[in-house]
Amino acid sequence: MRKIFVVMLAAAFVAACALPAMAADTEVSFYGNVRMNTFWNDKDKNTANRLSAPVTGAPNALYDDNDVDWSLDNSGSRFGVRFKTGDIGGNVEIRANNGSYYRQWYGTWNFGAGTLLIGHTWSLLFKPIDGANYLAGCDYGDMPGRAFRVPQIRLTFPFEVGTFSIAFNQPSTSHSTGFGDTDTSVPNIEMNFGGKIGPVSFNVFGGYNWLDAVNTANDREYSLNSYAYGANFSIPFGPAYFKGLYYHCKNPTEYGLGITSSFDANYNAATDSIEDVDVDGYFAVLGFKFNDMVSAEIGYGYLSQEREDFSNPGDDEDDRACYYLMVPITVAKGVTITPEIGKYDEKDHKLAGATAVDDGDVVYYGAYWRIDF
């Protein structure tokens, strides 16, 4: 059934693309920016190295750890070119990072009733609301999306109050069961409806990823299917605004969700079954624009993770939260300096229902520098 669905989808695209495209003069525009971090990080002695090994990462022994981050933001800094020829468009965007040199690479076709996009660009689930520059909000409750950007074929249709988009993405094949083979038969599918009702802007989104891990020793398949869904909104109040977001995900690692997940779906040999992971994320933001030069934003995020444990009396659990305050200052056209202070509250974790372990916290402060050209 799933293979028939894929064939029908491809046939529909071929039929649509057979329509003639209008020729016109090509418009080309260039853009770019460079970004710099100048921050200090203060870790307490209980803080695990969450970026490399959440929960299992070793604490900083019996001492606090203080470091300065004086670095080019080579993931955020970018240079791009946009193209437009009649109903045909495109965008190529590269970053200052030779380990992963491009951010976006896609083309679009406006066929009248909607727009077809093919290439590498943002996941439809990437709907974060925090404006923080240094804070990793997506690890602490904000919406990360399907690996942020992903190869895809996308259709977008306009409606009176917004637009509906559906994307067929490269499927995620990530898992840690240790089995020798992975089976995928259909693409990852994501949808988003975003629009505006009165002053309120909103997005409602969801996605599903089909994945089977195969034990090649006995040719048994184990489902590692995963999904995510959620919504966000933004409400302006004169010079102020309030934003909120909630999402839920089953098996975030297997979905390819762009967070540093504490747990992967686990194969339990005793019960011959998969122990799934559930994640809930929440985020709230309040901002105020004082004038054209200065604004401010505060935010709070919370992430809760739980993995089933069929062989013990309790499940594996991990919570974390974050807080931040930033004050963007536009010192000249295209030049922004943003003082920012925040805290990663790692809270604690429990494995198999055991006593909670304190994971400490990290306080950071400094400034983020940006020039747009």
Side-chain angles (χ1 to χ4, degrees):
M1 182 65 186
R2 289 187 290 187
K3 294 180 180 179
I4 295 175
F5 164 77
V6 173
V7 172
M8 292 175 63
L9 174 65
F13 280 143
V14 170
C17 293
L19 298 176
M22 300 296 292
D25 294 335
T26 300
E27 301 174 11
V28 181
S29 60
F30 300 88
Y31 65 93
N33 59 61
V34 61
R35 311 175 186 213
M36 186 84 179
N37 296 308
T38 57
F39 286 91
W40 285 261
N41 293 273
D42 294 341
K43 294 182 180 181
D44 77 14
K45 61 185 179 182
N46 292 321
T47 304
N49 186 359
R50 190 168 290 278
L51 292 180
S52 63
V55 173
T56 59
N60 295 317
L62 298 177
Y63 57 89
D64 295 339
D65 187 23
N66 304 304
D67 297 294
V68 63
D69 181 0
W70 204 274
S71 64
L72 175 70
D73 180 359
N74 55 13
S75 293
S77 300
R78 69 200 69 178
F79 175 75
V81 185
R82 294 189 178 96
F83 303 86
K84 191 176 190 310
T85 305
D87 295 329
I88 302 300
N91 187 194
V92 174
E93 186 177 89
I94 61 175
R95 55 158 57 105
N97 185 348
N98 61 9
S100 176
Y101 61 89
Y102 76 90
R103 290 170 53 87
Q104 301 192 78
W105 199 300
Y106 66 87
T108 62
W109 171 43
N110 184 335
F111 55 86
T115 300
L116 169 69
L117 178 151
I118 62 171
H120 182 95
T121 190
W122 297 100
S123 158
L124 287 178
L125 264 60
F126 184 69
K127 302 298 178 186
I129 62 171
D130 80 88
N133 295 292
Y134 195 69
L135 179 102
C138 289
D139 276 345
Y140 293 81
D142 213 349
M143 190 65 217
R146 164 74 166 82
F148 303 121
R149 292 169 296 272
V150 63
Q152 61 186 271
I153 297 175
R154 180 195 299 182
L155 287 167
T156 300
F157 301 96
F159 291 89
E160 185 175 348
V161 296
T163 58
F164 172 76
S165 298
I166 180 168
F168 303 89
N169 305 322
Q170 181 182 50
S172 172
T173 59
S174 176
H175 66 89
S176 58
T177 63
F179 294 141
D181 187 31
T182 300
D183 285 347
T184 58
S185 55
V186 295
N188 168 285
I189 297 179
E190 293 182 340
M191 291 175 281
N192 177 73
F193 184 79
K196 191 173 184 180
I197 301 177
V200 180
S201 301
F202 66 91
N203 286 281
V204 180
F205 43 83
Y208 203 97
N209 191 79
W210 289 267
L211 175 65
D212 293 320
V214 182
N215 186 345
T216 54
N218 56 17
D219 197 27
R220 285 207 57 185
E221 289 191 356
Y222 299 85
S223 172
L224 291 169
N225 293 346
S226 53
Y227 59 80
Y229 59 83
N232 66 19
F233 67 88
S234 177
I235 307 174
F237 299 96
Y241 58 86
F242 176 72
K243 299 179 181 180
L245 175 143
Y246 165 76
Y247 80 89
H248 175 82
C249 181
K250 174 186 175 184
N251 295 334
T253 298
E254 291 68 29
Y255 188 88
L257 207 65
I259 65 171
T260 307
S261 180
S262 299
F263 307 116
D264 299 339
N266 181 58
Y267 171 69
N268 188 319
T271 59
D272 192 31
S273 59
I274 299 295
E275 299 171 336
D276 292 319
V277 180
D278 286 298
V279 171
D280 291 282
Y282 312 83
F283 220 97
V285 168
L286 180 64
F288 190 89
K289 183 176 180 180
F290 297 99
N291 51 47
D292 290 339
M293 182 177 178
V294 181
S295 60
E297 182 177 287
I298 60 173
Y300 170 78
Y302 181 83
L303 189 74
S304 173
Q305 304 175 81
E306 183 174 359
R307 178 172 62 189
E308 298 170 323
D309 192 333
F310 299 146
S311 298
N312 291 285
D315 293 336
D316 302 329
E317 301 176 19
D318 186 34
D319 298 340
R320 62 180 89 145
C322 69
Y323 321 78
Y324 72 90
L325 165 65
M326 67 171 191
V327 183
I329 303 171
T330 303
V331 297
K333 185 177 180 180
V335 181
T336 306
I337 302 173
T338 306
E340 184 174 322
I341 184 171
K343 180 179 181 179
Y344 298 106
D345 183 358
E346 305 297 350
K347 295 191 178 296
D348 54 37
H349 73 270
K350 294 191 294 184
L351 299 178
T355 303
V357 177
D358 181 10
D359 288 327
D361 56 57
V362 180
V363 175
Y364 73 89
Y365 49 90
Y368 191 77
W369 306 68
R370 172 172 170 169
I371 295 180
D372 293 281
F373 53 85

